[in-house]
Amino acid sequence: MRTRLNSKDRVIRSNCRSLFLFILATQMAFLTHGSEHPVLASGGMPEPPLPTQAQISRAIALSATYLERACGPDGKFVYRINIDTGKKSDSYNVVRHAGAMYALSMLYHAHPDSQALDAMVRAAGFLRKNYMGPGVRPDQLVVWSEPLSERSKARHHDAELGGTGLSLVSLAGLRQAQPKSVPLEELQSLGRFLLFLQKDDGSFVHKYRAESGPVQDWDVLYYPGEAALGFVALYEADDSREWLTAAGKALSFLARSRAGLSTVPADHWALMATAKLLPYCNQTSCPGSSREELVNHSIQICNSIVREQFRGSAAAGIDGAFDPTGRTAPAATRLEGLLAVLEFLPKSELRTKIEAVAGRGVAFLLRMQISSGPYSGGVPGALATRSLDSSEIRIDYLQHALGAWLRYQNLLQNGLHGKE
């Protein structure tokens, strides 16, 4: 596991920068990248052992402690910190705040713990006090991109689809853990704003400006999946089918827009939303879509992700990553999506490939976690020292890694292989 660098280690790391790049280049000659070679080779490089239950449990426990500690008394997370200097960033991102809350709710659902619940309550209080306000219509609530206290200074007042969508997911998770903490009417008001942003074909306006309306040419890959996940979470809170239909329409639009493409974006939120929606579908249809359409779309994304993974010597560090610098967030998000698909994908060649990719990727993340010191449990942004975020922990790096570990732990507990 990765440990915090002291001053001597930092000097060594700096002096070895060129050596690392040489080693990486040498290893690349031996790597079997997914776009050129199958994930499962019949010979040659042996498969590494799968991460164990004990390793995953320890990583989750370390992550939980870090995340709970990073949530301050006011509910604001330490958003970004440099582990070499200890300097904290002044910037903040409410979408990633909501994502950290979501990770806490997943943690609490899997391992009920009062500290995780307390952190969720604090984080929700910060979100509601500082970012949540009235929407465009009287029956709406919106999570605005900038703090409400700074609205008088801002030139524009923007609300992004992902901010409200992921906040709905996280607040619904808190309500599930502690029903009296979040009024149902609040969740429904957030849902109505998402419906307001959804078009007839299932697509969305991704950014809304209070002064002028929809912002054109502003699209974020992950926002529709986050909104769809929010709709399903809201349905689980109030049993209104309109939310399921909205989720199905959103995912159906994504499926139709990507149909026939050999390579598609690694849209992990769409995969997670699909896994959440499918239990409410019958054998052929889903609200607002069809089961076949959604499953085929998921398979399409998974095939693209599987081809991206690097294979090589674990000693080089890059094995199991999805890009040459070993960035942790892209690895963790892809794993979250793949592991979500394993919740519904039957036994097949693709499932076998995904299980292998997931095991290798989770092992990569385990090696990247800081195991001791003041940043114990955190996950830096990248392996390669030439990457600017290799010495930083950002709250979403940990959020996604924890999400992947929790899903992988569930997979191990329920058996790796799917049903026929």
Side-chain angles (χ1 to χ4, degrees):
M1 290 189 178
R2 183 178 173 125
T3 56
R4 186 194 175 202
L5 302 174
N6 57 33
S7 58
K8 180 179 179 181
D9 291 332
R10 290 197 295 270
V11 172
I12 293 173
R13 187 174 77 166
S14 177
N15 291 338
C16 290
R17 186 181 300 268
S18 297
L19 178 61
F20 172 83
L21 295 177
F22 171 77
I23 292 173
L24 181 59
T26 302
Q27 287 291 336
M28 287 296 289
F30 298 98
L31 290 173
T32 54
H33 189 278
S35 61
E36 300 172 359
H37 302 278
V39 173
L40 299 178
S42 58
M45 192 180 303
E47 289 294 330
L50 292 174
T52 66
Q53 285 271 20
Q55 289 174 317
I56 298 299
S57 295
R58 183 170 188 267
I60 291 172
L62 287 173
S63 298
T65 301
Y66 182 96
L67 199 56
E68 292 158 4
R69 186 175 66 244
C71 184
D74 63 350
K76 183 178 182 179
F77 289 98
V78 176
Y79 175 61
R80 175 190 282 154
I81 189 166
N82 186 296
I83 60 177
D84 291 339
T85 66
K87 183 179 179 180
K88 300 177 184 178
S89 171
D90 292 330
S91 65
Y92 208 69
N93 184 299
V94 69
V95 180
R96 290 170 179 152
H97 175 98
M101 284 180 60
Y102 175 52
L104 283 170
S105 69
M106 290 181 64
L107 173 67
Y108 184 82
H109 180 74
H111 306 282
D113 174 76
S114 61
Q115 290 181 308
L117 181 59
D118 289 346
M120 289 168 63
V121 171
R122 295 197 305 274
F126 179 83
L127 172 70
R128 294 156 81 184
K129 176 182 177 182
N130 294 283
Y131 288 90
M132 189 182 298
V136 180
R137 295 177 177 173
D139 61 349
Q140 297 174 356
L141 278 175
V142 173
V143 174
W144 297 96
S145 299
E146 299 297 329
L148 301 178
S149 61
E150 298 179 9
R151 287 175 68 87
S152 60
K153 306 175 187 176
R155 181 180 177 185
H156 300 296
H157 303 140
D158 295 336
E160 296 182 20
L161 175 69
T164 298
L166 199 48
S167 294
L168 176 55
V169 174
S170 61
L171 290 171
L174 174 56
R175 178 179 166 81
Q176 186 179 31
Q178 192 178 78
K180 294 183 179 180
S181 61
V182 182
L184 179 59
E185 294 77 10
E186 188 172 294
L187 301 182
Q188 292 166 331
S189 295
L190 292 169
R192 283 190 286 268
F193 180 66
L194 296 182
L195 285 179
F196 173 76
L197 296 181
Q198 189 171 37
K199 303 175 185 178
D200 291 340
D201 63 0
S203 65
F204 291 93
V205 171
H206 286 217
K207 179 188 282 190
Y208 191 91
R209 182 160 291 160
E211 294 80 10
S212 56
V215 177
Q216 304 300 328
D217 301 323
W218 179 273
D219 293 304
V220 179
L221 170 63
Y222 305 122
Y223 282 0
E226 291 170 346
L229 190 62
F231 282 137
V232 181
L234 182 49
Y235 167 76
E236 292 178 338
D238 76 354
D239 295 322
S240 176
R241 297 283 292 184
E242 70 172 325
W243 310 122
L244 288 185
T245 300
K249 287 175 60 178
L251 295 171
S252 178
F253 176 83
L254 294 177
R256 296 194 309 274
S257 67
R258 296 163 180 169
L261 300 178
S262 58
T263 301
V264 294
D267 191 348
H268 65 286
W269 285 110
L271 296 179
M272 292 158 64
T274 299
K276 195 76 170 174
L277 177 63
L278 283 179
Y280 303 109
C281 303
N282 59 34
Q283 293 299 315
T284 58
S285 65
C286 293
S289 57
S290 75
R291 174 181 282 272
E292 181 181 14
E293 179 182 52
L294 298 189
V295 171
N296 286 341
H297 179 230
S298 299
I299 290 173
Q300 187 183 19
I301 297 174
C302 288
N303 278 322
S304 289
I305 293 175
V306 164
R307 292 194 295 266
E308 292 180 327
Q309 191 178 50
F310 284 89
R311 294 184 60 192
S313 170
I318 200 71
D319 180 67
F322 290 83
D323 72 285
T325 60
R327 290 181 298 151
T328 54
T333 55
R334 284 160 173 76
L335 292 170
E336 285 183 292
L338 292 177
L339 290 165
V341 170
L342 291 183
E343 295 175 13
F344 61 83
L345 191 68
K347 187 176 181 180
S348 60
E349 181 181 356
L350 177 59
R351 184 183 178 93
T352 302
K353 289 182 179 181
I354 291 175
E355 289 172 356
V357 166
R360 193 181 293 275
V362 166
F364 165 71
L365 291 178
L366 290 173
R367 294 195 301 273
M368 289 299 296
Q369 187 178 39
I370 298 172
S371 60
S372 62
Y375 307 114
S376 174
V379 175
L383 168 70
T385 55
R386 70 181 185 274
S387 179
L388 294 176
D389 53 3
S390 65
S391 294
E392 288 187 336
I393 300 172
R394 204 171 67 191
I395 198 66
D396 56 312
Y397 302 160
L398 180 59
Q399 168 212 329
H400 293 301
L402 178 55
W405 288 326
L406 287 166
R407 289 181 183 275
Y408 194 76
Q409 182 182 62
N410 183 64
L411 182 70
L412 290 178
Q413 291 172 346
N414 291 285
L416 278 173
H417 302 296
K419 298 179 181 179
E420 297 287 353

